[in-house]
Amino acid sequence: MKKSEIYIDFLIGDLEYFLFSNKTKINSYVLENHIPTYKESLEILDKFSTGLKKTSQLIKYLDEIEDTERLRNIFILSSESLAWILFTFPSVAEKIPVFLEEFDIKGENILDMIGQNLIQIEMFIDNPKSSKYISKDLKENINNISMTIGHITQMIKKGSLEN
């Protein structure tokens, strides 16, 4: 096994553990109709940003992976990461003091971007080898979404400190 494969397996495990440990807590807010506090909302947005960064790290290595099952696992996990955010984000966004319109990248709604990337990733679950040529765009899109959520979260945190 190559060093890069070991690192990729580590990234897969890291994202898998991250999703497992954070989904339960955050999903409980939504399922129990619990209104997250301001601080909890920021924590949730921060978790979304971190999950997307981890997903982006994995996708960065698609070109180096030869093993079809490893590719499939990356797409399944990436799909789970994006789907979790896509379906949880609207419930959180309505509880924070920011307009959903602010979550916009180059004139496109962030939820639409997440959905488009999710669809693209899910297409590669059945045929992972066909993904070799799109990894750059996919990584860039997911990284942009992560950075946008992270930036807005940091701005909200700074705003709350000054008030």
Side-chain angles (χ1 to χ4, degrees), residues 3 11 18 25 31 53 57 77-78 115 120 123 128 132 134 139:
K3 282 186 178 181
L11 291 175
F18 178 84
K25 180 180 179 183
L31 295 175
K53 283 177 192 166
Q57 283 179 321
L77 206 50
S78 298
Q120 192 173 17
M123 288 186 332
K132 293 276 185 194
I134 57 89
K139 181 195 152 295

Side-chain angles (χ1 to χ4, degrees), residues 1 28 48 53-54 68 80 82-83 91-92 100 139 146 148:
M1 186 178 273
S28 71
F48 288 168
K53 283 177 192 166
K54 291 177 182 293
T68 304
E80 188 175 337
L82 291 177
S91 300
V92 173
L100 199 54
K139 181 195 152 295
S146 171
T148 300

